[in-house]
PDB file of all heavy atoms in Angstrom:
ATOM      1  N   VAL A   1      24.009 -40.225  35.636  1.00  0.00           N
ATOM      2  CA  VAL A   1      25.272 -39.607  36.026  1.00  0.00           C
ATOM      3  C   VAL A   1      26.135 -40.732  36.583  1.00  0.00           C
ATOM      4  O   VAL A   1      25.781 -41.348  37.591  1.00  0.00           O
ATOM      5  CB  VAL A   1      25.068 -38.510  37.090  1.00  0.00           C
ATOM      6  CG1 VAL A   1      26.400 -37.884  37.484  1.00  0.00           C
ATOM      7  CG2 VAL A   1      24.100 -37.445  36.586  1.00  0.00           C
ATOM      8  N   PRO A   2      27.252 -41.032  35.921  1.00  0.00           N
ATOM      9  CA  PRO A   2      28.078 -42.166  36.345  1.00  0.00           C
ATOM     10  C   PRO A   2      28.640 -41.999  37.760  1.00  0.00           C
ATOM     11  O   PRO A   2      28.965 -40.883  38.184  1.00  0.00           O
ATOM     12  CB  PRO A   2      29.218 -42.192  35.330  1.00  0.00           C
ATOM     13  CG  PRO A   2      28.794 -41.327  34.206  1.00  0.00           C
ATOM     14  CD  PRO A   2      27.814 -40.352  34.763  1.00  0.00           C
ATOM     15  N   ARG A   3      28.746 -43.108  38.443  1.00  0.00           N
ATOM     16  CA  ARG A   3      29.341 -43.103  39.786  1.00  0.00           C
ATOM     17  C   ARG A   3      30.760 -42.526  39.743  1.00  0.00           C
ATOM     18  O   ARG A   3      31.184 -41.863  40.677  1.00  0.00           O
ATOM     19  CB  ARG A   3      29.352 -44.530  40.346  1.00  0.00           C
ATOM     20  CG  ARG A   3      29.951 -44.633  41.721  1.00  0.00           C
ATOM     21  CD  ARG A   3      29.880 -46.052  42.230  1.00  0.00           C
ATOM     22  NE  ARG A   3      30.713 -46.197  43.405  1.00  0.00           N
ATOM     23  CZ  ARG A   3      30.442 -46.995  44.401  1.00  0.00           C
ATOM     24  NH1 ARG A   3      29.362 -47.735  44.385  1.00  0.00           N
ATOM     25  NH2 ARG A   3      31.253 -47.077  45.420  1.00  0.00           N
ATOM     26  N   ARG A   4      31.477 -42.742  38.661  1.00  0.00           N
ATOM     27  CA  ARG A   4      32.851 -42.228  38.571  1.00  0.00           C
ATOM     28  C   ARG A   4      32.886 -40.694  38.647  1.00  0.00           C
ATOM     29  O   ARG A   4      33.879 -40.134  39.094  1.00  0.00           O
ATOM     30  CB  ARG A   4      33.559 -42.763  37.336  1.00  0.00           C
ATOM     31  CG  ARG A   4      33.144 -42.168  36.048  1.00  0.00           C
ATOM     32  CD  ARG A   4      33.963 -42.713  34.860  1.00  0.00           C
ATOM     33  NE  ARG A   4      33.401 -42.247  33.607  1.00  0.00           N
ATOM     34  CZ  ARG A   4      32.408 -42.826  32.957  1.00  0.00           C
ATOM     35  NH1 ARG A   4      31.860 -43.932  33.429  1.00  0.00           N
ATOM     36  NH2 ARG A   4      31.955 -42.317  31.830  1.00  0.00           N
ATOM     37  N   THR A   5      31.824 -40.021  38.206  1.00  0.00           N
ATOM     38  CA  THR A   5      31.762 -38.561  38.334  1.00  0.00           C
ATOM     39  C   THR A   5      31.788 -38.170  39.804  1.00  0.00           C
ATOM     40  O   THR A   5      32.538 -37.276  40.211  1.00  0.00           O
ATOM     41  CB  THR A   5      30.485 -38.016  37.650  1.00  0.00           C
ATOM     42  OG1 THR A   5      30.518 -38.390  36.270  1.00  0.00           O
ATOM     43  CG2 THR A   5      30.387 -36.505  37.786  1.00  0.00           C
ATOM     44  N   PHE A   6      31.005 -38.854  40.617  1.00  0.00           N
ATOM     45  CA  PHE A   6      30.974 -38.599  42.051  1.00  0.00           C
ATOM     46  C   PHE A   6      32.325 -38.939  42.680  1.00  0.00           C
ATOM     47  O   PHE A   6      32.805 -38.235  43.563  1.00  0.00           O
ATOM     48  CB  PHE A   6      29.868 -39.430  42.717  1.00  0.00           C
ATOM     49  CG  PHE A   6      28.483 -38.996  42.336  1.00  0.00           C
ATOM     50  CD1 PHE A   6      27.866 -39.511  41.203  1.00  0.00           C
ATOM     51  CD2 PHE A   6      27.785 -38.083  43.111  1.00  0.00           C
ATOM     52  CE1 PHE A   6      26.588 -39.120  40.851  1.00  0.00           C
ATOM     53  CE2 PHE A   6      26.501 -37.685  42.767  1.00  0.00           C
ATOM     54  CZ  PHE A   6      25.905 -38.203  41.637  1.00  0.00           C
ATOM     55  N   LYS A   7      32.924 -40.023  42.209  1.00  0.00           N
ATOM     56  CA  LYS A   7      34.224 -40.451  42.732  1.00  0.00           C
ATOM     57  C   LYS A   7      35.296 -39.399  42.464  1.00  0.00           C
ATOM     58  O   LYS A   7      36.097 -39.082  43.352  1.00  0.00           O
ATOM     59  CB  LYS A   7      34.627 -41.794  42.112  1.00  0.00           C
ATOM     60  CG  LYS A   7      35.929 -42.333  42.640  1.00  0.00           C
ATOM     61  CD  LYS A   7      36.266 -43.676  42.032  1.00  0.00           C
ATOM     62  CE  LYS A   7      37.581 -44.169  42.623  1.00  0.00           C
ATOM     63  NZ  LYS A   7      38.023 -45.396  42.043  1.00  0.00           N
ATOM     64  N   ILE A   8      35.320 -38.847  41.265  1.00  0.00           N
ATOM     65  CA  ILE A   8      36.291 -37.808  40.924  1.00  0.00           C
ATOM     66  C   ILE A   8      36.117 -36.600  41.845  1.00  0.00           C
ATOM     67  O   ILE A   8      37.089 -36.063  42.386  1.00  0.00           O
ATOM     68  CB  ILE A   8      36.138 -37.393  39.442  1.00  0.00           C
ATOM     69  CG1 ILE A   8      36.626 -38.519  38.533  1.00  0.00           C
ATOM     70  CG2 ILE A   8      36.882 -36.085  39.151  1.00  0.00           C
ATOM     71  CD1 ILE A   8      36.223 -38.361  37.080  1.00  0.00           C
ATOM     72  N   ILE A   9      34.887 -36.182  42.043  1.00  0.00           N
ATOM     73  CA  ILE A   9      34.616 -35.028  42.912  1.00  0.00           C
ATOM     74  C   ILE A   9      35.068 -35.323  44.332  1.00  0.00           C
ATOM     75  O   ILE A   9      35.785 -34.523  44.950  1.00  0.00           O
ATOM     76  CB  ILE A   9      33.119 -34.658  42.884  1.00  0.00           C
ATOM     77  CG1 ILE A   9      32.714 -34.199  41.484  1.00  0.00           C
ATOM     78  CG2 ILE A   9      32.808 -33.587  43.937  1.00  0.00           C
ATOM     79  CD1 ILE A   9      31.217 -34.114  41.271  1.00  0.00           C
ATOM     80  N   TRP A  10      34.655 -36.473  44.878  1.00  0.00           N
ATOM     81  CA  TRP A  10      34.979 -36.808  46.260  1.00  0.00           C
ATOM     82  C   TRP A  10      36.491 -36.927  46.475  1.00  0.00           C
ATOM     83  O   TRP A  10      37.029 -36.387  47.436  1.00  0.00           O
ATOM     84  CB  TRP A  10      34.261 -38.076  46.708  1.00  0.00           C
ATOM     85  CG  TRP A  10      34.499 -38.350  48.154  1.00  0.00           C
ATOM     86  CD1 TRP A  10      35.263 -39.338  48.699  1.00  0.00           C
ATOM     87  CD2 TRP A  10      34.012 -37.569  49.252  1.00  0.00           C
ATOM     88  NE1 TRP A  10      35.267 -39.226  50.058  1.00  0.00           N
ATOM     89  CE2 TRP A  10      34.507 -38.159  50.428  1.00  0.00           C
ATOM     90  CE3 TRP A  10      33.195 -36.450  49.355  1.00  0.00           C
ATOM     91  CZ2 TRP A  10      34.217 -37.654  51.694  1.00  0.00           C
ATOM     92  CZ3 TRP A  10      32.905 -35.938  50.607  1.00  0.00           C
ATOM     93  CH2 TRP A  10      33.418 -36.545  51.757  1.00  0.00           C
ATOM     94  N   GLU A  11      37.159 -37.636  45.577  1.00  0.00           N
ATOM     95  CA  GLU A  11      38.608 -37.810  45.741  1.00  0.00           C
ATOM     96  C   GLU A  11      39.353 -36.481  45.665  1.00  0.00           C
ATOM     97  O   GLU A  11      40.312 -36.262  46.403  1.00  0.00           O
ATOM     98  CB  GLU A  11      39.144 -38.805  44.713  1.00  0.00           C
ATOM     99  CG  GLU A  11      38.729 -40.229  45.045  1.00  0.00           C
ATOM    100  CD  GLU A  11      39.177 -41.258  44.025  1.00  0.00           C
ATOM    101  OE1 GLU A  11      39.655 -40.866  42.923  1.00  0.00           O
ATOM    102  OE2 GLU A  11      39.023 -42.456  44.319  1.00  0.00           O
ATOM    103  N   ASN A  12      38.906 -35.570  44.809  1.00  0.00           N
ATOM    104  CA  ASN A  12      39.516 -34.240  44.750  1.00  0.00           C
ATOM    105  C   ASN A  12      39.237 -33.436  46.007  1.00  0.00           C
ATOM    106  O   ASN A  12      40.120 -32.729  46.502  1.00  0.00           O
ATOM    107  CB  ASN A  12      39.043 -33.477  43.510  1.00  0.00           C
ATOM    108  CG  ASN A  12      39.851 -33.825  42.293  1.00  0.00           C
ATOM    109  OD1 ASN A  12      40.946 -33.321  42.104  1.00  0.00           O
ATOM    110  ND2 ASN A  12      39.317 -34.710  41.469  1.00  0.00           N
ATOM    111  N   LEU A  13      38.035 -33.546  46.533  1.00  0.00           N
ATOM    112  CA  LEU A  13      37.709 -32.855  47.783  1.00  0.00           C
ATOM    113  C   LEU A  13      38.607 -33.341  48.917  1.00  0.00           C
ATOM    114  O   LEU A  13      39.151 -32.536  49.676  1.00  0.00           O
ATOM    115  CB  LEU A  13      36.242 -33.078  48.161  1.00  0.00           C
ATOM    116  CG  LEU A  13      35.234 -32.130  47.564  1.00  0.00           C
ATOM    117  CD1 LEU A  13      33.818 -32.620  47.865  1.00  0.00           C
ATOM    118  CD2 LEU A  13      35.428 -30.720  48.073  1.00  0.00           C
ATOM    119  N   VAL A  14      38.744 -34.652  49.047  1.00  0.00           N
ATOM    120  CA  VAL A  14      39.550 -35.226  50.121  1.00  0.00           C
ATOM    121  C   VAL A  14      41.024 -34.853  49.956  1.00  0.00           C
ATOM    122  O   VAL A  14      41.695 -34.496  50.915  1.00  0.00           O
ATOM    123  CB  VAL A  14      39.356 -36.763  50.187  1.00  0.00           C
ATOM    124  CG1 VAL A  14      40.353 -37.405  51.127  1.00  0.00           C
ATOM    125  CG2 VAL A  14      37.924 -37.093  50.611  1.00  0.00           C
ATOM    126  N   LYS A  15      41.504 -34.904  48.732  1.00  0.00           N
ATOM    127  CA  LYS A  15      42.920 -34.620  48.471  1.00  0.00           C
ATOM    128  C   LYS A  15      43.258 -33.135  48.606  1.00  0.00           C
ATOM    129  O   LYS A  15      44.276 -32.772  49.204  1.00  0.00           O
ATOM    130  CB  LYS A  15      43.280 -35.096  47.066  1.00  0.00           C
ATOM    131  CG  LYS A  15      44.725 -34.868  46.687  1.00  0.00           C
ATOM    132  CD  LYS A  15      45.000 -35.367  45.288  1.00  0.00           C
ATOM    133  CE  LYS A  15      46.425 -35.045  44.869  1.00  0.00           C
ATOM    134  NZ  LYS A  15      46.668 -35.435  43.491  1.00  0.00           N
ATOM    135  N   CYS A  16      42.421 -32.271  48.057  1.00  0.00           N
ATOM    136  CA  CYS A  16      42.743 -30.839  47.955  1.00  0.00           C
ATOM    137  C   CYS A  16      41.960 -29.952  48.912  1.00  0.00           C
ATOM    138  O   CYS A  16      42.312 -28.794  49.094  1.00  0.00           O
ATOM    139  CB  CYS A  16      42.502 -30.357  46.537  1.00  0.00           C
ATOM    140  SG  CYS A  16      43.431 -31.264  45.294  1.00  0.00           S
ATOM    141  N   GLY A  17      40.865 -30.478  49.479  1.00  0.00           N
ATOM    142  CA  GLY A  17      40.039 -29.674  50.374  1.00  0.00           C
ATOM    143  C   GLY A  17      38.978 -28.862  49.654  1.00  0.00           C
ATOM    144  O   GLY A  17      38.100 -28.296  50.281  1.00  0.00           O
ATOM    145  N   GLU A  18      39.066 -28.810  48.327  1.00  0.00           N
ATOM    146  CA  GLU A  18      38.082 -28.072  47.545  1.00  0.00           C
ATOM    147  C   GLU A  18      38.034 -28.635  46.131  1.00  0.00           C
ATOM    148  O   GLU A  18      38.918 -29.387  45.716  1.00  0.00           O
ATOM    149  CB  GLU A  18      38.403 -26.588  47.524  1.00  0.00           C
ATOM    150  CG  GLU A  18      39.777 -26.239  47.008  1.00  0.00           C
ATOM    151  CD  GLU A  18      40.074 -24.772  47.205  1.00  0.00           C
ATOM    152  OE1 GLU A  18      40.473 -24.395  48.320  1.00  0.00           O
ATOM    153  OE2 GLU A  18      39.887 -24.016  46.239  1.00  0.00           O
ATOM    154  N   PHE A  19      36.981 -28.251  45.406  1.00  0.00           N
ATOM    155  CA  PHE A  19      36.805 -28.760  44.049  1.00  0.00           C
ATOM    156  C   PHE A  19      35.972 -27.777  43.245  1.00  0.00           C
ATOM    157  O   PHE A  19      34.936 -27.308  43.710  1.00  0.00           O
ATOM    158  CB  PHE A  19      36.104 -30.120  44.069  1.00  0.00           C
ATOM    159  CG  PHE A  19      35.883 -30.713  42.704  1.00  0.00           C
ATOM    160  CD1 PHE A  19      36.940 -31.254  41.993  1.00  0.00           C
ATOM    161  CD2 PHE A  19      34.627 -30.723  42.139  1.00  0.00           C
ATOM    162  CE1 PHE A  19      36.742 -31.802  40.730  1.00  0.00           C
ATOM    163  CE2 PHE A  19      34.416 -31.273  40.883  1.00  0.00           C
ATOM    164  CZ  PHE A  19      35.479 -31.811  40.176  1.00  0.00           C
ATOM    165  N   GLU A  20      36.443 -27.445  42.054  1.00  0.00           N
ATOM    166  CA  GLU A  20      35.670 -26.650  41.103  1.00  0.00           C
ATOM    167  C   GLU A  20      35.519 -27.488  39.838  1.00  0.00           C
ATOM    168  O   GLU A  20      36.504 -27.770  39.156  1.00  0.00           O
ATOM    169  CB  GLU A  20      36.369 -25.338  40.779  1.00  0.00           C
ATOM    170  CG  GLU A  20      35.542 -24.459  39.881  1.00  0.00           C
ATOM    171  CD  GLU A  20      36.179 -23.105  39.629  1.00  0.00           C
ATOM    172  OE1 GLU A  20      37.018 -22.666  40.428  1.00  0.00           O
ATOM    173  OE2 GLU A  20      35.842 -22.509  38.596  1.00  0.00           O
ATOM    174  N   PRO A  21      34.302 -27.910  39.532  1.00  0.00           N
ATOM    175  CA  PRO A  21      34.101 -28.839  38.414  1.00  0.00           C
ATOM    176  C   PRO A  21      34.082 -28.149  37.066  1.00  0.00           C
ATOM    177  O   PRO A  21      34.015 -26.930  36.970  1.00  0.00           O
ATOM    178  CB  PRO A  21      32.729 -29.418  38.721  1.00  0.00           C
ATOM    179  CG  PRO A  21      32.012 -28.284  39.369  1.00  0.00           C
ATOM    180  CD  PRO A  21      33.070 -27.603  40.226  1.00  0.00           C
ATOM    181  N   SER A  22      34.068 -28.988  36.037  1.00  0.00           N
ATOM    182  CA  SER A  22      33.804 -28.486  34.691  1.00  0.00           C
ATOM    183  C   SER A  22      32.338 -28.045  34.661  1.00  0.00           C
ATOM    184  O   SER A  22      31.592 -28.275  35.612  1.00  0.00           O
ATOM    185  CB  SER A  22      34.055 -29.591  33.670  1.00  0.00           C
ATOM    186  OG  SER A  22      33.082 -30.596  33.796  1.00  0.00           O
ATOM    187  N   ILE A  23      31.944 -27.448  33.594  1.00  0.00           N
ATOM    188  CA  ILE A  23      30.585 -26.901  33.531  1.00  0.00           C
ATOM    189  C   ILE A  23      29.564 -27.879  32.967  1.00  0.00           C
ATOM    190  O   ILE A  23      28.443 -27.502  32.676  1.00  0.00           O
ATOM    191  CB  ILE A  23      30.550 -25.582  32.734  1.00  0.00           C
ATOM    192  CG1 ILE A  23      31.060 -25.801  31.315  1.00  0.00           C
ATOM    193  CG2 ILE A  23      31.326 -24.509  33.452  1.00  0.00           C
ATOM    194  CD1 ILE A  23      30.869 -24.614  30.397  1.00  0.00           C
ATOM    195  N   THR A  24      29.928 -29.136  32.819  1.00  0.00           N
ATOM    196  CA  THR A  24      28.987 -30.114  32.276  1.00  0.00           C
ATOM    197  C   THR A  24      27.842 -30.370  33.256  1.00  0.00           C
ATOM    198  O   THR A  24      28.035 -30.357  34.468  1.00  0.00           O
ATOM    199  CB  THR A  24      29.682 -31.445  31.946  1.00  0.00           C
ATOM    200  OG1 THR A  24      30.220 -31.977  33.143  1.00  0.00           O
ATOM    201  CG2 THR A  24      30.784 -31.267  30.912  1.00  0.00           C
ATOM    202  N   PRO A  25      26.643 -30.605  32.730  1.00  0.00           N
ATOM    203  CA  PRO A  25      25.491 -30.840  33.601  1.00  0.00           C
ATOM    204  C   PRO A  25      25.682 -31.988  34.594  1.00  0.00           C
ATOM    205  O   PRO A  25      25.199 -31.919  35.718  1.00  0.00           O
ATOM    206  CB  PRO A  25      24.353 -31.136  32.617  1.00  0.00           C
ATOM    207  CG  PRO A  25      24.748 -30.410  31.378  1.00  0.00           C
ATOM    208  CD  PRO A  25      26.252 -30.530  31.324  1.00  0.00           C
ATOM    209  N   ALA A  26      26.392 -33.040  34.197  1.00  0.00           N
ATOM    210  CA  ALA A  26      26.605 -34.168  35.113  1.00  0.00           C
ATOM    211  C   ALA A  26      27.366 -33.713  36.352  1.00  0.00           C
ATOM    212  O   ALA A  26      27.055 -34.124  37.475  1.00  0.00           O
ATOM    213  CB  ALA A  26      27.357 -35.296  34.414  1.00  0.00           C
ATOM    214  N   TYR A  27      28.353 -32.864  36.177  1.00  0.00           N
ATOM    215  CA  TYR A  27      29.101 -32.362  37.331  1.00  0.00           C
ATOM    216  C   TYR A  27      28.257 -31.413  38.168  1.00  0.00           C
ATOM    217  O   TYR A  27      28.358 -31.409  39.386  1.00  0.00           O
ATOM    218  CB  TYR A  27      30.402 -31.679  36.893  1.00  0.00           C
ATOM    219  CG  TYR A  27      31.527 -32.656  36.709  1.00  0.00           C
ATOM    220  CD1 TYR A  27      31.839 -33.150  35.458  1.00  0.00           C
ATOM    221  CD2 TYR A  27      32.266 -33.099  37.791  1.00  0.00           C
ATOM    222  CE1 TYR A  27      32.871 -34.061  35.289  1.00  0.00           C
ATOM    223  CE2 TYR A  27      33.299 -34.014  37.632  1.00  0.00           C
ATOM    224  CZ  TYR A  27      33.592 -34.486  36.379  1.00  0.00           C
ATOM    225  OH  TYR A  27      34.601 -35.396  36.228  1.00  0.00           O
ATOM    226  N   ARG A  28      27.426 -30.617  37.545  1.00  0.00           N
ATOM    227  CA  ARG A  28      26.578 -29.682  38.303  1.00  0.00           C
ATOM    228  C   ARG A  28      25.661 -30.428  39.270  1.00  0.00           C
ATOM    229  O   ARG A  28      25.567 -30.070  40.431  1.00  0.00           O
ATOM    230  CB  ARG A  28      25.754 -28.821  37.353  1.00  0.00           C
ATOM    231  CG  ARG A  28      26.568 -27.797  36.627  1.00  0.00           C
ATOM    232  CD  ARG A  28      25.690 -26.990  35.703  1.00  0.00           C
ATOM    233  NE  ARG A  28      26.489 -26.055  34.940  1.00  0.00           N
ATOM    234  CZ  ARG A  28      26.122 -25.554  33.787  1.00  0.00           C
ATOM    235  NH1 ARG A  28      24.958 -25.888  33.248  1.00  0.00           N
ATOM    236  NH2 ARG A  28      26.892 -24.708  33.150  1.00  0.00           N
ATOM    237  N   ILE A  29      24.978 -31.457  38.785  1.00  0.00           N
ATOM    238  CA  ILE A  29      24.056 -32.172  39.666  1.00  0.00           C
ATOM    239  C   ILE A  29      24.812 -33.053  40.648  1.00  0.00           C
ATOM    240  O   ILE A  29      24.412 -33.188  41.805  1.00  0.00           O
ATOM    241  CB  ILE A  29      22.983 -32.967  38.866  1.00  0.00           C
ATOM    242  CG1 ILE A  29      21.906 -33.525  39.818  1.00  0.00           C
ATOM    243  CG2 ILE A  29      23.606 -34.067  38.033  1.00  0.00           C
ATOM    244  CD1 ILE A  29      21.166 -32.498  40.651  1.00  0.00           C
ATOM    245  N   ALA A  30      25.930 -33.625  40.243  1.00  0.00           N
ATOM    246  CA  ALA A  30      26.722 -34.424  41.186  1.00  0.00           C
ATOM    247  C   ALA A  30      27.235 -33.539  42.320  1.00  0.00           C
ATOM    248  O   ALA A  30      27.191 -33.930  43.489  1.00  0.00           O
ATOM    249  CB  ALA A  30      27.879 -35.109  40.461  1.00  0.00           C
ATOM    250  N   CYS A  31      27.704 -32.346  42.010  1.00  0.00           N
ATOM    251  CA  CYS A  31      28.159 -31.405  43.052  1.00  0.00           C
ATOM    252  C   CYS A  31      27.002 -31.011  43.958  1.00  0.00           C
ATOM    253  O   CYS A  31      27.166 -30.890  45.177  1.00  0.00           O
ATOM    254  CB  CYS A  31      28.787 -30.168  42.429  1.00  0.00           C
ATOM    255  SG  CYS A  31      30.440 -30.437  41.778  1.00  0.00           S
ATOM    256  N   ALA A  32      25.829 -30.796  43.378  1.00  0.00           N
ATOM    257  CA  ALA A  32      24.664 -30.435  44.185  1.00  0.00           C
ATOM    258  C   ALA A  32      24.319 -31.545  45.172  1.00  0.00           C
ATOM    259  O   ALA A  32      23.943 -31.278  46.316  1.00  0.00           O
ATOM    260  CB  ALA A  32      23.473 -30.127  43.289  1.00  0.00           C
ATOM    261  N   CYS A  33      24.456 -32.796  44.741  1.00  0.00           N
ATOM    262  CA  CYS A  33      24.197 -33.923  45.644  1.00  0.00           C
ATOM    263  C   CYS A  33      25.272 -34.007  46.726  1.00  0.00           C
ATOM    264  O   CYS A  33      24.959 -34.140  47.911  1.00  0.00           O
ATOM    265  CB  CYS A  33      24.132 -35.226  44.853  1.00  0.00           C
ATOM    266  SG  CYS A  33      22.691 -35.372  43.769  1.00  0.00           S
ATOM    267  N   ILE A  34      26.535 -33.915  46.332  1.00  0.00           N
ATOM    268  CA  ILE A  34      27.632 -34.018  47.306  1.00  0.00           C
ATOM    269  C   ILE A  34      27.592 -32.869  48.310  1.00  0.00           C
ATOM    270  O   ILE A  34      27.920 -33.052  49.477  1.00  0.00           O
ATOM    271  CB  ILE A  34      28.987 -34.122  46.567  1.00  0.00           C
ATOM    272  CG1 ILE A  34      29.091 -35.528  45.951  1.00  0.00           C
ATOM    273  CG2 ILE A  34      30.160 -33.847  47.506  1.00  0.00           C
ATOM    274  CD1 ILE A  34      30.328 -35.773  45.128  1.00  0.00           C
ATOM    275  N   ALA A  35      27.129 -31.700  47.885  1.00  0.00           N
ATOM    276  CA  ALA A  35      27.023 -30.560  48.811  1.00  0.00           C
ATOM    277  C   ALA A  35      26.003 -30.819  49.912  1.00  0.00           C
ATOM    278  O   ALA A  35      25.995 -30.119  50.928  1.00  0.00           O
ATOM    279  CB  ALA A  35      26.659 -29.291  48.055  1.00  0.00           C
ATOM    280  N   ARG A  36      25.178 -31.823  49.753  1.00  0.00           N
ATOM    281  CA  ARG A  36      24.195 -32.175  50.778  1.00  0.00           C
ATOM    282  C   ARG A  36      24.777 -33.074  51.863  1.00  0.00           C
ATOM    283  O   ARG A  36      24.101 -33.405  52.823  1.00  0.00           O
ATOM    284  CB  ARG A  36      22.966 -32.791  50.124  1.00  0.00           C
ATOM    285  CG  ARG A  36      22.085 -31.681  49.562  1.00  0.00           C
ATOM    286  CD  ARG A  36      21.263 -32.061  48.367  1.00  0.00           C
ATOM    287  NE  ARG A  36      20.396 -30.947  47.987  1.00  0.00           N
ATOM    288  CZ  ARG A  36      20.787 -29.881  47.291  1.00  0.00           C
ATOM    289  NH1 ARG A  36      22.028 -29.766  46.893  1.00  0.00           N
ATOM    290  NH2 ARG A  36      19.936 -28.913  46.982  1.00  0.00           N
TER     291      ARG A  36
END
């Protein structure tokens, strides 16, 4: 799972306060990690 996937999630969280990813498996596991 590329670091840029995590970066996209984090930057959206910081900017918008929330994030709903696409349904791709890479985003699912990256979100699961960031939720920790």
Side-chain angles (χ1 to χ4, degrees):
V1 180
R3 180 178 167 147
R4 74 177 172 275
T5 301
F6 292 87
K7 182 178 181 184
I8 289 166
I9 296 167
W10 185 251
E11 287 177 349
N12 276 280
L13 274 171
V14 170
K15 181 180 176 184
C16 303
E18 57 188 82
F19 180 74
E20 184 176 338
S22 69
I23 59 171
T24 61
Y27 275 97
R28 288 180 184 156
I29 189 58
C31 284
C33 291
I34 287 177
R36 280 151 176 79

